[in-house]
Amino acid sequence: MARERVLITGAAGFLGSHLCDRFLKEGYHVVGMDNLITGDLRNIEHLFKREDFEFYHHDVSKFVHVPGELKYILHFASPASPIDYLKIPIQTLKVGSLGTHNLLGLARAKKARIIVASTSEVYGDPTVHPQPEEYYGNVNPVGPRGVYDEAKRFQEAITMAYHTFHGLDTRIVRIFNTYGPRMRLNDGRVLPAFIGQALRGEDLTVFGDGSQTRSFCYVDDLVDGIYRLLLSDYVQPMNIGNPDEITIREFAEEIVKLTGTTQKVIYQPLPKDDPKQRQPDIRKARQILNWQPKVSRAEGLKITYEYFKSLPKDLLYQRDHKNFENYIR
Ligand code: UDP
């Protein structure tokens, strides 16, 4: 029997590339798609020799055509770091809105099930802690994160509308902070920022007083949660993340220990609308998917540090992704 085919958008990105690996491992034929603004072909280089993998260099904000049947569509294309949204705000809005619309249309045409990547950012700077799926959020639509947060909120709305109005088979995953190999070294996110600084022998920059919290999930755990949600019957949004919460100040200290850097932790101004606290309530994922994270931060950080150490040294000094300059306008 022919392999079932899956479309993964954002395939050359951090999460997309790990999803490609997982679906290939599960025996699917994977069609990857990416416009490579923030994605990097090095993340999927190892797949190009395979017959059960193909790749389209395409921007999903434009009409998406994929020949043949599709069983599942995973929409994971989007910039995902606050620095990226500042650099490419319009593209961030377009991929979450127009891109999602195109992929919902494709899912209808192919009679495919679609899962869209939403985010803990739909909760904004949350006033409820930890954040259950029922919380409506506290988002500033016109702040620096608004382009991402509102695109993702629109994405959830249009996905649910296609579900109720067209009977489309949909899933929505709300992803909390995730880390692991293949994160972009210079995307501005806190973990690659700290590890990059340690490897270059620079001070570690904590924003604000470092009392803000995050809860970091190792990528393999996240991918497993997404896989289970896709295969489940659950159509309401579901949080996937690791509830193990830590302040950014403590996180910096962990990175100092991990890397053995002799540099200092220094404090810089807190960016506007930076959420003060974040921790997923994962009771639904536990009950419905029988899922919970397995990899501790100590284990996950060790693997991730080894990955960053193995990268070519010139990447450490490359401040921007090479494709950014073609898109900033
Ligand atoms: N952060 C920091 N130093 C850095 C980069 C980020 O202290 O060099 C902080 C940032 O202000 C935020 C947290 O780390 O409070 C997580 O930031 P990230 O960009 O990774 O993701 P967010 O969860 O804010 O979307």
Side-chain angles (χ1 to χ4, degrees):
M1 205 183 84
R3 288 171 187 272
E4 288 177 322
R5 289 157 50 89
V6 181
L7 171 66
I8 301 179
T9 75
F14 166 47
L15 296 182
S17 66
H18 284 281
L19 286 164
C20 288
D21 287 340
R22 174 68 188 258
F23 278 83
L24 287 167
K25 202 165 142 220
E26 299 289 343
Y28 293 91
H29 178 100
V30 171
V31 181
M33 190 173 279
D34 205 299
N35 66 1
L36 302 178
I37 303 186
T38 59
D40 192 324
L41 283 180
R42 276 176 293 215
N43 291 336
I44 47 172
E45 217 166 36
H46 59 292
L47 303 179
F48 277 83
K49 57 182 181 295
R50 299 180 63 132
E51 286 190 351
D52 48 2
F53 179 75
E54 57 191 300
F55 179 75
Y56 289 87
H57 183 190
H58 180 69
D59 181 348
V60 298
S61 306
K62 314 231 164 67
F63 185 86
V64 180
H65 174 72
V66 175
E69 292 180 6
L70 288 176
K71 170 104 171 157
Y72 300 126
I73 297 174
L74 291 88
H75 181 27
F76 279 70
S78 177
S81 109
I83 301 273
D84 289 351
Y85 333 139
L86 287 177
K87 288 185 194 150
I88 42 171
I90 314 287
Q91 286 81 2
T92 303
L93 279 159
K94 282 167 75 177
V95 71
S97 55
L98 307 181
T100 301
H101 187 209
N102 288 335
L103 292 161
L104 289 165
L106 182 69
R108 268 191 91 198
K110 301 285 185 188
K111 299 188 172 35
R113 178 177 296 179
I114 180 169
I115 183 165
V116 297
S118 188
T119 166
S120 54
E121 283 286 327
V122 300
Y123 303 124
D125 188 2
T127 54
V128 170
H129 193 73
Q131 294 80 54
E133 288 86 349
E134 292 76 19
Y135 178 49
Y136 291 167
N138 177 35
V139 169
N140 174 5
V142 294
R145 290 174 184 250
V147 294
Y148 183 64
D149 300 7
E150 296 296 358
K152 291 295 188 181
R153 290 174 67 97
F154 174 86
Q155 176 185 61
E156 291 198 6
I158 191 170
T159 299
M160 213 32 107
Y162 265 71
H163 176 72
T164 49
F165 189 74
H166 288 308
L168 191 70
D169 196 7
T170 57
R171 306 287 182 272
I172 300 173
V173 55
R174 289 188 181 149
I175 298 170
F176 283 66
N177 293 66
T178 303
Y179 70 98
R182 303 185 194 154
M183 288 186 98
R184 211 168 79 235
L185 188 53
N186 297 316
D187 77 352
R189 289 195 156 270
V190 67
L191 182 139
F194 286 170
I195 291 185
Q197 287 160 345
L199 289 173
R200 289 189 298 269
E202 296 169 4
D203 292 337
L204 272 59
T205 53
V206 167
F207 297 163
D209 63 4
S211 64
Q212 71 273 31
T213 69
R214 294 294 185 272
S215 308
F216 296 97
C217 185
Y218 186 65
V219 63
D220 289 356
D221 282 334
L222 186 94
V223 164
D224 191 51
I226 291 167
Y227 188 77
R228 288 177 191 229
L229 176 60
L230 178 65
L231 268 55
S232 79
D233 293 333
Y234 193 75
V235 299
Q236 295 300 316
M238 185 176 294
N239 291 341
I240 300 285
N242 190 325
D244 187 4
E245 187 179 359
I246 183 173
T247 67
I248 295 300
R249 198 183 323 124
E250 288 167 325
F251 190 59
E253 293 304 335
E254 286 191 358
I255 302 292
V256 168
K257 281 210 190 77
L258 174 76
T259 59
T261 178
T262 52
Q263 303 297 313
K264 296 188 298 296
V265 172
I266 57 169
Y267 293 84
Q268 292 186 350
L270 189 68
K272 185 167 162 44
D273 295 340
D274 197 294
K276 282 180 279 306
Q277 50 181 2
R278 184 181 289 154
Q279 187 203 127
D281 179 334
I282 58 164
R283 273 177 294 182
K284 284 205 167 56
R286 283 189 215 269
Q287 281 161 15
I288 297 166
L289 309 180
N290 191 25
W291 174 88
Q292 63 179 23
K294 295 197 187 94
V295 181
S296 70
R297 201 166 51 244
E299 285 172 89
L301 285 180
K302 211 161 153 264
I303 301 167
T304 310
Y305 180 47
E306 291 305 318
Y307 165 78
F308 281 121
K309 270 202 298 193
S310 76
L311 291 177
K313 289 288 161 281
D314 56 319
L315 276 184
L316 271 178
Y317 295 92
Q318 195 177 301
R319 286 288 163 186
D320 246 339
H321 190 272
K322 60 186 180 324
N323 287 331
F324 258 114
E325 61 214 43
N326 302 327
Y327 287 92
I328 303 168
R329 49 176 176 252

